[in-house]
Structures are given as structure tokens and as C-alpha cells.
Amino acid sequence: MKKYITVLVLFYSVLFTAQTDNQTFTFDAVNLEIPNAPAFVLLDAAPTTIQRPNSSRALGISLIQDIANDGILDDISVEVTPFWMTRSLKRSALSFYGIDKNLKQYPFSKLKLASISAAYVKSPDSIINISMGARATVFELKRKSDIIDYYDTYTEIEKLTTKILDFQDEYEETHPEPDCENDGTDSNCTKQWEVYNNGLINFLQEKIKERAGKYGYTSKMQEIINRKPAFALDVAVAYNQRFSEDHFNDNGFGRFGVWGTAAASVFLDQSKFNYLNIYGFVRYLKGERQTFAMVDNNYNAIDLGIKAELEFKKLVVGYEYINRSGDLESYRSAGNIKYQAFENIFLTGSFGNNFSGQDDLITLFGVQWGLNGVSQLLGI
């Protein structure tokens, strides 16, 4: 019977062992970004247009205030990452990170973190814009050193499961085995063994989790996952419907856009994980001008941009330049800043030129709030 229990417990421990509370690997809020929602970016209403997240939250809410023009709550967006709303027992720590036991990486693994968003933007001329958008990281290239660090930490946690018999002996010192043979003929005996086995499994999971935390494996894996990749490519798409003067029936197509953002990150200080981030940006826009003139109001435009950014633990400072060509000729030139004020709250700001138009001065201040969602259960 004891041999049967050992085999059973070993199976469950290997399957369910992970790195934080309740045998799940829970991400810390630090370095988990709240990006500007594509629904905001489409309308040129975000503090920064060129951005890609490393790991987005389950739920992100952004409130943007144009100091010169907006009223309170005139610009608001919500972004949801469905992955963080569910949990699967089949996810392993290696597959989640996008590698296997041969240290081969799968560059398309971040597709599972695709997000959807919606935004409400009210302009000074009482035009209400409702937008929907989606984004995904389609390609990500990790550093070889990061992959090795992650796998080494994973292996150390895996080794803890080999000490399972020592943990089992410790449990049996205070929890004697039921005094009956579970041959299936006695339901009461079967119930006793079920309670005993469940208690033993929970005890072993707690012991392995405790050791993982004691030796620093938990925080190490979390820190490695939060590292910026060497290179990544994001794509996004968004659509905007426009409503005039608060009249629901007075609406029409506003703008459609699809774009890609490529990002390369270089360590400035690897011990503190400070980065220099360089971005390339290309976007196609199709829309209608907000005019009542009896002419063709449709336009097609191409945006090409570049951005340089310094990223520290809680502070990000950057500058972006975007040239718009085609039926619309203009540019965006803006500096931006982001600061993590509290665990789940970020402050953002931007100043510069926001393409050409009646109000092309950027004077934006924003607050972003995010939730982590369901903890992921990762097997070792």
C-alpha cells in the first residue's frame, strides 16, 4: 500500500508542483506593464503611439486627460487579456516560457497573450469616438543567456520532487496510515485512505513550494520571465465608429488601422535590468475626414515611426517621431514618461506635436490601473 501511495504522490507532485501560493506561479506587479490599448492608439489619443508590452495585465484601464482641451473622463480605454482569465492544468513552466528541455525556443509562444480593447474618446467639438482593437506578439526572440538561466532554475525546482520520500516520511511521523487494507470492499476504509492521500499530496506540494521559495527559485523564475526579449514583433488592428453631438443615429465610419511594432532591447545594467529600447513602427490608416464638404472625404495614409526609450525599474522615458504620408501629410513628435506610482497604478505623460490639425499640441496626463487575473498553474 505504501508503495502505491508513493507512486501516486510522486505523479501528482510532479504534475502540480509550481512556485507560489496554492502551487501556482503568480506574477509580481513589478515590470508587468499596462500598455496603451490599440483602441486608443488608433485615434492618436494615447500618450505614446509606439509601444509594445513585455507582459500585459489581465485587465488594464487607462484614463487620459488632455490638459488643454478635455473634460473629466473624456478619454478612457479598457483592455483585456483572455489568457489571464482562465487556468489550465496542462500548462508547464517550460511551455509557458516558450522553450523545451533541449533549450529550443518557440518564438511564436507569446501569441497566447493576445488582448482585446475598447476605447471612448470625446473631442472638443462633441464628436464621440468608440473604438475596438486587438493586439498580439507574433514573434519573440529571447537571449540565450535568459533561456539558460530559466532552465537552470526550472531544473533546481524539478530536483526538489526527487526528495519526495524524505518529505513523505516527515508527514507520516504525525499522520499515521489508516489501519486497514484498501481493497475496495470497505467504503469507510476507502474514504480514510482518500483523506490520507489528499493530505499527503497537499503536504508535499507545500514542502516543495516552501523549499523553492527558501532557495530563491520562485523569485528567480519570475524575474527571468519579466526580462525584455532581445527582439520582438507585435501586430495590432483597430476600428473606430464616430457619433456626432451625442446622437446615436448620427454615426458613421471613422477610422481603421493595422500596424506592426518591432522592438530591440539592450541591457544598460543587467543587475538592475535597465534597458535601452529601440522601436520601429509602420501603420496603415483608412478613414473619413470630419468635414461636411461635398468632396471625397475618404483617405489612406501610411505612418512610419521610430522611438528611443530608457527603461528603469519604475520609470520609463522616451521620444518618438512618426511621419504620416499619403492623403494626409503630417507628423508626430513627442516625448513621453511613465512612472509606477503604486503596485498596480502607473502615471503617464506626453508633450509635443500630435500630427497636423486644429488641435495638434499634445499635453496629455494619464492614469493606468491593472489587475493580474487568475494565477497560472504551471507543472514542473
Side-chain angles (χ1 to χ4, degrees), residues 126-159:
S126 298
I127 299 295
I128 294 176
N129 294 279
I130 304 296
S131 301
M132 300 292 294
R135 89 163 98 232
T137 298
V138 296
F139 183 87
E140 182 178 272
L141 184 63
K142 299 177 178 65
R143 299 175 186 83
K144 188 66 175 180
S145 58
D146 293 342
I147 294 174
I148 293 174
D149 286 350
Y150 188 87
Y151 185 76
D152 287 347
T153 307
Y154 165 91
T155 302
E156 291 301 320
I157 297 176
E158 189 177 41
K159 288 178 181 177

Side-chain angles (χ1 to χ4, degrees), residues 118-326:
Y120 168 94
V121 176
K122 186 174 183 180
S123 63
D125 54 2
S126 298
I127 299 295
I128 294 176
N129 294 279
I130 304 296
S131 301
M132 300 292 294
R135 89 163 98 232
T137 298
V138 296
F139 183 87
E140 182 178 272
L141 184 63
K142 299 177 178 65
R143 299 175 186 83
K144 188 66 175 180
S145 58
D146 293 342
I147 294 174
I148 293 174
D149 286 350
Y150 188 87
Y151 185 76
D152 287 347
T153 307
Y154 165 91
T155 302
E156 291 301 320
I157 297 176
E158 189 177 41
K159 288 178 181 177
L160 294 177
T161 64
T162 64
K163 300 180 180 180
I164 199 167
L165 291 178
D166 296 337
F167 297 149
Q168 181 176 345
D169 291 339
E170 182 179 341
Y171 180 80
E172 291 175 349
E173 290 178 1
T174 55
H175 299 78
E177 296 180 2
D179 188 21
C180 64
E181 190 70 28
N182 185 18
D183 56 7
T185 61
D186 187 339
S187 59
N188 183 51
C189 181
T190 300
K191 181 64 176 179
Q192 291 181 46
W193 275 105
E194 181 180 337
V195 172
Y196 178 85
N197 290 340
N198 289 336
L200 179 54
I201 291 169
N202 291 333
F203 177 82
L204 294 176
Q205 289 176 342
E206 286 297 320
K207 280 295 181 181
I208 295 173
K209 179 196 69 175
E210 179 184 309
R211 294 290 180 91
K214 178 181 178 181
Y215 298 140
Y217 303 146
T218 299
S219 57
K220 183 65 174 179
M221 288 191 79
Q222 178 177 286
E223 175 268 306
I224 296 169
I225 286 179
N226 285 336
R227 293 179 189 176
K228 293 281 188 180
F231 177 82
L233 175 65
D234 281 15
V235 296
V237 61
Y239 172 87
N240 158 235
Q241 191 78 2
R242 199 168 59 220
F243 298 81
S244 300
E245 299 182 353
D246 296 327
H247 295 156
F248 179 81
N249 292 328
D250 190 5
N251 70 87
F253 166 65
R255 178 181 286 188
F256 167 81
V258 57
W259 61 94
T261 305
S265 297
V266 179
F267 279 121
L268 295 177
D269 184 340
Q270 187 165 357
S271 64
K272 296 181 180 179
F273 300 101
N274 299 332
Y275 300 92
L276 168 63
N277 303 319
I278 303 296
Y279 301 85
F281 175 83
V282 58
R283 176 169 63 176
Y284 166 73
L285 291 175
K286 179 179 179 60
E288 292 186 355
R289 297 180 178 89
Q290 297 183 28
T291 174
F292 296 101
M294 298 301 292
V295 295
D296 183 7
N297 292 328
N298 296 324
Y299 66 81
N300 293 275
I302 296 293
D303 291 345
L304 294 175
I306 189 170
K307 179 179 180 180
E309 183 180 76
L310 295 175
E311 179 177 347
F312 307 101
K313 184 175 182 180
K314 291 190 175 184
L315 178 68
V316 179
V317 180
Y319 169 79
E320 65 186 21
Y321 179 86
I322 303 172
N323 181 71
R324 179 167 292 173
S325 60

